[in-house]
Amino acid sequence: MTEAHPTLHESIQSALVQLTGLADRVDLPALVEREPIILSDDFFAAAQAAAADPAAAILRERLQWLAELRHQAERDVPAALQAVLAATTIDELRQVADQWPLILTDAFAEAVEHLAQQFSDAGQSEIADGLRQRLVGLAQLRVYRETWTETPQGKAIFAFLNAEDDAAALSIFHAHRDLLDHPEAQRTLDDVLHGGDPESQQRLERRRALLRYLRGEEQPQ
C-alpha cells in the first residue's frame, strides 16, 4: 500500500505548528527551506486566522517575522527568476532552490506561468517554452523534496553527504547506522544523486566510496 500524501490542510497545520515552535528568528529561513508552503498565500491566511486568537501572542510575533520574510522574498523574485532561467539541469535548479526557497512556492510558479503566457502571446514561443520547461523541473524538485528528502533515511543521507569532512561523516554514519548501513542508502548515493558542479561531484564521489567502505563493500583507497 502506498503512503498517502498529506492534504493541503494537513501541510498547512504541520507548518503552522513548526512556525509557532520556532525558538529564534534566525531559524525561519531553514523552516522555509523545509516547508516552502509557509510562503504561500494559503498558509499566510491560515496563520492570520489562527493569530486572531487572543492567546496566540507567540504566533503573532512569528507571523510578523514571516511577513517581513515574505516582503524580502518579493524583492528577491527578479534575481531568483534570472537564476531559474539560467539553470539548465535539475541539479542546477536544486542549487537555486537552496539559495532561494521561494522558487518552490505556488506564488512563484504562478508568476512564471503568467510570464510564460505573456511571451507566448507576444509570439516568443521559444522563451515561453523555456519557462514552462523550468516549471516542470521545479514541480519535480518540489515533489521530491516534499516526499523523499523529509523521510528519516533521506535526512540521514543528506547529512552524511554534506558532512564537513570524513570524520564528521563517520560520526553521522554511526549515529544513523540503521538508516545508512542499507543497500537503499548506497543506491541513492550511487544512482540518484548527482553533483551540480565539479566540487560537489568530488564530494559525492568521496562519500559514495566512504559509505561502501563503512558498509564492508569496499577496501579503503
Side-chain angles (χ1 to χ4, degrees):
M1 180 181 295
T2 58
E3 182 179 353
H5 294 304
T7 65
L8 176 62
H9 175 74
E10 290 170 338
S11 297
I12 287 175
Q13 291 305 309
S14 174
L16 190 57
V17 169
Q18 294 181 67
L19 176 64
T20 305
L22 283 183
D24 195 287
R25 186 175 189 146
V26 298
D27 297 327
L28 184 56
L31 176 57
V32 172
E33 184 172 350
R34 293 196 309 273
E35 301 285 353
I37 195 174
I38 75 169
L39 287 180
S40 70
D41 291 338
D42 286 338
F43 178 84
F44 199 72
Q48 286 180 312
D53 186 331
I58 293 177
L59 177 57
R60 284 193 291 276
E61 179 187 43
R62 305 299 186 270
L63 196 56
Q64 179 60 35
W65 298 352
L66 181 58
E68 293 170 3
L69 187 67
R70 278 166 55 95
H71 289 315
Q72 178 63 46
E74 290 173 1
R75 291 194 293 271
D76 285 346
V77 164
L81 182 59
Q82 288 297 320
V84 166
L85 286 172
T88 58
T89 67
I90 193 69
D91 291 311
E92 290 174 357
L93 277 179
R94 184 179 291 110
Q95 292 174 24
V96 177
D98 288 340
Q99 184 174 2
W100 285 292
L102 68 95
I103 73 169
L104 299 181
T105 64
D106 290 337
F108 187 83
E110 290 171 2
V112 173
E113 176 56 41
H114 179 69
L115 185 60
Q117 188 60 51
Q118 288 183 320
F119 277 112
S120 181
D121 292 343
Q124 300 187 49
S125 58
E126 185 174 345
I127 297 176
D129 290 344
L131 285 168
R132 292 189 170 116
Q133 287 174 5
R134 301 306 190 281
L135 280 176
V136 171
L138 289 174
Q140 292 173 341
L141 182 58
R142 183 170 176 174
V143 170
Y144 183 72
R145 288 197 169 187
E146 289 176 351
T147 54
W148 182 81
T149 59
E150 289 305 307
T151 65
Q153 187 180 61
K155 291 178 180 179
I157 290 171
F158 274 99
F160 180 82
L161 173 61
N162 293 313
E164 183 177 358
D165 51 34
D166 286 351
L170 180 61
S171 296
I172 291 168
F173 177 82
H174 287 307
H176 302 285
R177 191 176 195 120
D178 58 325
L179 298 170
L180 294 173
D181 192 1
H182 193 283
E184 181 64 22
Q186 188 71 60
R187 188 192 72 79
T188 298
L189 280 179
D190 289 349
D191 301 333
V192 176
L193 299 179
H194 304 281
D197 55 69
E199 184 178 350
S200 297
Q201 188 64 36
Q202 287 180 351
R203 183 177 68 249
L204 178 57
E205 294 295 343
R206 290 196 302 270
R207 292 293 185 269
R208 285 170 172 166
L210 179 60
L211 185 60
R212 284 193 291 269
Y213 168 64
L214 293 173
R215 296 183 59 245
E217 295 184 358
E218 184 174 284
Q219 294 299 313
Q221 298 291 324

